[in-house]
Amino acid sequence: MYTMPPKSTFLICGLVAATIVVIFISSFSLIMPIKTAFGDGLFMEELSASFGNRKADLLIKMTPPVVTTQTLQTQNQKPIIQFKLYDSNTKEGIKHVTYFITIEKNGKKLLSDWFHDHKGDLKLEVQPRNTPVISVYGEQDPLLQAYTGTADSPVIAQGPIFLEGGLYHFIVRILTVDYDRAILPDAKQPVFDGWLSIGNTEEKQITIDGKQLPIQIISYYDKLNSFKFDESKRQMQFTMPFDWNTTRLEQNKVLVHEEVTVPKPSQFAAKRSYVGSVNGLDVTKNLVLDDTDPQKDVIHFMLPKPEVIKIAEHVNNSTGKSASNESMQFTLQPGGGGGIAATSATSNNTTSGNQTATQQVSSSSPSSPPMEKLTDGGTYKVKMSYSPANIQPTNTTTFNIEFLDPKTNQKKDNVQYDFMIMPAEDPETMITHRAAKIAQNGSAQQSFTFKDENVGSVIARVANINNTGELADFPITVKPAAAATTITNSTTNNTNTTTSGNQTQK
């Protein structure tokens, strides 16, 4: 058991560094001054820093990807945090890495200790306990006094960590690379700053026409407070502490993620459409709806950095302060047809004219060639194709997904997975996120209609397969709809029929 690194650790490291300085200088004479890499994420961060003419990326990943205060209590979750350093160009893991890891919450230091992995792929199991301090369990290197573990027996951190929801700050300093004793001088050790989110779950009740509806809200940024419901507007209102300092926001990657679950059928979900605001500004375009569960709608507020800065400027200007301490104020209510709507809601409407012709052309288009990817942990092979092969806004795209055993190439039965789509240049900004889907007999389909703002490179991600946290990413391109205009118009001249589309979601 070990709670905090003793001062002797630093003395030992200094002595070891002195004995190997000759070896070190020849290998790292081109190392640049210290560089800090910043990030802000949900369950995974990929951060970059430079080692002279080498560029290294650090993966910080939490398994399972969805961890909330509720799941920690009801499912006795013991999340695994993975730290993996690899070469940015070759994607090969860097070996013999010693990490100095600090974990903070709201500026309070929870953990600060040395860890080592010969393959550079460290696993740290977190066991939340309501104790005064965090205790670390694992084998220790006799010289570095760094904790080591194995894939089957990871290092354990047990204590008051992940007891509260919100963002946890991970500060990771690299002490050694390539060789166990090749210790980098203090001023040359790269530092990575990242954030992982623990969802804070709130159970609420709202009343519409005398009927009570259970509402669940999960905040992945900070604890929510002052929840209210205005029945006359059918509007939920809730707030969250937030630092509106634009300098801080500009220097860091930021994503504010709030998740609201409402039952259906219900009066709140009846319009199949929602609108939202933050501090008086309309953020409906930043709402992501998962309506694939017949019993509930899950509405996600996904506020990326540019949107948060825009709101911050509005808040600071209205209060006359450069960094207001005003809360982040959310509203959510049913839309009047102009808000975010379930994809399947539009697919069941009768349409005509140009839209009809576009759907007819799309339905007859061939599928894309199948793509195969091994998941990042190598446990599954995922095959994906999509139809039509030419993805364009307003056309429904159907993704065909198969889960295979990588050794036998046979389909795996009843696979649970998450399906996500995100912009390639900003993966933290979800376009859609559908959780806990089931692929019966190893096959599934997900249908989605892209919007004009989605044109460009996007990623279709199949994630958290069977709750392992493993994922596979598939790059795809959404092309501008203008390319189909000529075909659409010519087809429209020869048809006066109306059609309705059907989408399959499992």
Side-chain angles (χ1 to χ4, degrees):
M1 186 180 73
Y2 200 63
T3 303
M4 291 292 288
K7 293 181 180 179
S8 60
T9 300
F10 298 93
L11 295 175
I12 291 173
C13 291
L15 292 173
V16 175
T19 62
I20 62 166
V21 67
V22 176
I23 299 174
F24 170 77
I25 290 175
S26 63
S27 300
F28 293 94
S29 58
L30 296 179
I31 289 180
M32 300 296 289
I34 185 169
K35 177 178 179 180
T36 300
F38 293 97
D40 184 13
L42 294 176
F43 72 93
M44 184 173 71
E45 288 272 48
E46 290 185 273
L47 310 168
S48 298
S50 297
F51 287 72
N53 59 351
R54 297 170 65 181
K55 184 179 178 182
D57 290 348
L58 177 67
L59 172 70
I60 307 177
K61 179 181 176 182
M62 180 166 59
T63 303
V66 179
V67 179
T68 70
T69 51
Q70 183 185 56
T71 58
L72 285 168
Q73 295 171 4
T74 61
Q75 300 177 20
N76 193 29
Q77 284 180 326
K78 298 174 182 177
I80 300 290
I81 310 299
Q82 177 186 17
F83 302 85
K84 184 176 182 179
L85 193 69
Y86 59 94
D87 187 284
S88 303
N89 297 320
T90 66
K91 303 303 180 183
E92 293 182 358
I94 297 175
K95 297 182 179 180
H96 304 290
V97 182
T98 301
Y99 303 92
F100 184 67
I101 300 173
T102 300
I103 304 177
E104 299 178 341
K105 179 73 166 70
N106 297 328
K108 180 181 179 181
K109 186 179 295 184
L110 303 176
L111 172 70
S112 188
D113 226 321
W114 302 100
F115 302 86
H116 181 85
D117 192 272
H118 295 301
K119 295 182 179 179
D121 191 0
L122 174 72
K123 306 291 197 310
L124 178 65
E125 180 180 300
V126 176
Q127 297 182 0
R129 297 286 189 276
N130 191 14
T131 56
V133 296
I134 292 178
S135 300
V136 180
Y137 300 89
E139 297 294 328
Q140 283 186 283
D141 181 281
L143 290 178
L144 296 177
Q145 293 292 296
Y147 288 98
T148 63
T150 65
D152 297 328
S153 181
V155 180
I156 295 173
Q158 186 182 92
I161 182 173
F162 293 176
L163 292 178
E164 298 179 359
L167 287 176
Y168 284 77
H169 185 194
F170 288 73
I171 307 168
V172 183
R173 180 183 293 270
I174 305 301
L175 176 69
T176 70
V177 293
D178 297 332
Y179 304 96
D180 287 347
R181 305 296 180 254
I183 300 176
L184 307 176
D186 289 348
K188 305 288 187 176
Q189 298 169 7
V191 180
F192 299 83
D193 275 73
W195 284 259
L196 298 182
S197 299
I198 302 298
N200 187 82
T201 306
E202 300 279 351
E203 303 288 347
K204 302 294 182 181
Q205 294 276 347
I206 64 174
T207 302
I208 300 180
D209 298 334
K211 183 178 180 180
Q212 285 196 330
L213 298 176
I215 303 297
Q216 183 184 80
I217 306 178
I218 302 177
S219 174
Y220 292 95
Y221 198 92
D222 204 341
K223 188 174 182 179
L224 302 178
N225 48 46
S226 66
F227 177 88
K228 298 178 182 178
F229 182 68
D230 187 332
E231 187 177 1
S232 63
K233 297 180 180 178
R234 297 191 175 176
Q235 182 185 80
M236 298 183 202
Q237 305 167 0
F238 50 93
T239 64
M240 179 184 75
F242 196 77
D243 180 358
W244 295 106
N245 188 319
T246 53
T247 301
R248 177 188 74 87
L249 297 174
E250 289 169 353
Q251 291 178 348
N252 294 276
K253 292 179 64 179
V254 178
L255 175 68
V256 176
H257 179 197
E258 311 297 322
E259 177 181 308
V260 182
T261 299
V262 299
K264 62 181 183 183
S266 68
Q267 288 299 314
F268 197 89
K271 292 185 178 181
R272 310 294 306 285
S273 178
Y274 303 92
V275 295
S277 71
V278 173
N279 291 78
L281 294 184
D282 183 18
V283 295
T284 301
K285 65 183 179 64
N286 297 109
L287 299 184
V288 177
L289 173 63
D290 179 1
D291 76 324
T292 55
D293 191 320
Q295 297 182 340
K296 62 185 179 182
D297 274 354
V298 183
I299 307 101
H300 300 265
F301 284 81
M302 303 293 289
L303 305 178
K305 177 177 176 177
E307 189 69 22
V308 175
I309 291 178
K310 175 183 174 182
I311 299 170
E313 291 173 344
H314 168 76
V315 171
N316 293 335
N317 288 337
S318 63
T319 60
K321 299 179 180 179
S322 59
S324 172
N325 59 0
E326 185 173 331
S327 296
M328 184 173 280
Q329 302 165 7
F330 298 85
T331 69
L332 179 69
Q333 63 194 87
I340 59 163
T343 306
S344 56
T346 58
S347 68
N348 293 325
N349 293 332
T350 300
T351 58
S352 62
N354 290 352
Q355 184 178 357
T356 300
T358 303
Q359 290 177 347
Q360 289 174 337
V361 171
S362 299
S363 63
S364 61
S365 299
S367 298
S368 69
M371 300 177 287
E372 289 187 356
K373 289 284 187 71
L374 277 178
T375 55
D376 53 351
T379 306
Y380 303 91
K381 180 190 290 185
V382 182
K383 182 185 292 186
M384 177 183 289
S385 64
Y386 46 86
S387 178
N390 184 23
I391 301 177
Q392 295 179 328
T394 73
N395 293 343
T396 298
T397 302
T398 299
F399 295 89
N400 302 294
I401 308 167
E402 292 183 359
F403 296 89
L404 308 172
D405 186 304
K407 295 180 180 178
T408 66
N409 221 36
Q410 298 297 309
K411 289 185 181 179
K412 301 182 75 70
D413 290 335
N414 299 322
V415 178
Q416 181 175 306
Y417 68 99
D418 290 3
F419 179 74
M420 312 176 193
I421 301 176
M422 60 274 288
E425 71 278 4
D426 188 10
E428 293 176 350
T429 304
M430 293 282 184
I431 297 175
T432 187
H433 181 186
R434 300 170 181 178
K437 304 294 112 179
I438 300 295
Q440 297 179 355
N441 301 318
S443 298
Q445 286 186 331
Q446 291 292 329
S447 294
F448 185 76
T449 303
F450 291 91
K451 300 178 182 179
D452 288 333
E453 56 263 34
N454 303 139
V455 167
S457 297
V458 301
I459 295 171
R461 172 175 291 173
V462 181
N464 195 26
I465 301 172
N466 284 337
N467 292 314
T468 62
E470 293 195 27
L471 59 86
D473 284 346
F474 297 88
I476 59 178
T477 301
V478 181
K479 298 180 180 179
T485 303
T486 303
I487 299 175
T488 299
N489 291 337
S490 63
T491 307
T492 307
N493 292 334
N494 296 318
T495 181
N496 292 316
T497 60
T498 59
T499 62
S500 63
N502 294 311
Q503 296 175 340
T504 302
Q505 294 177 340
K506 296 182 180 180

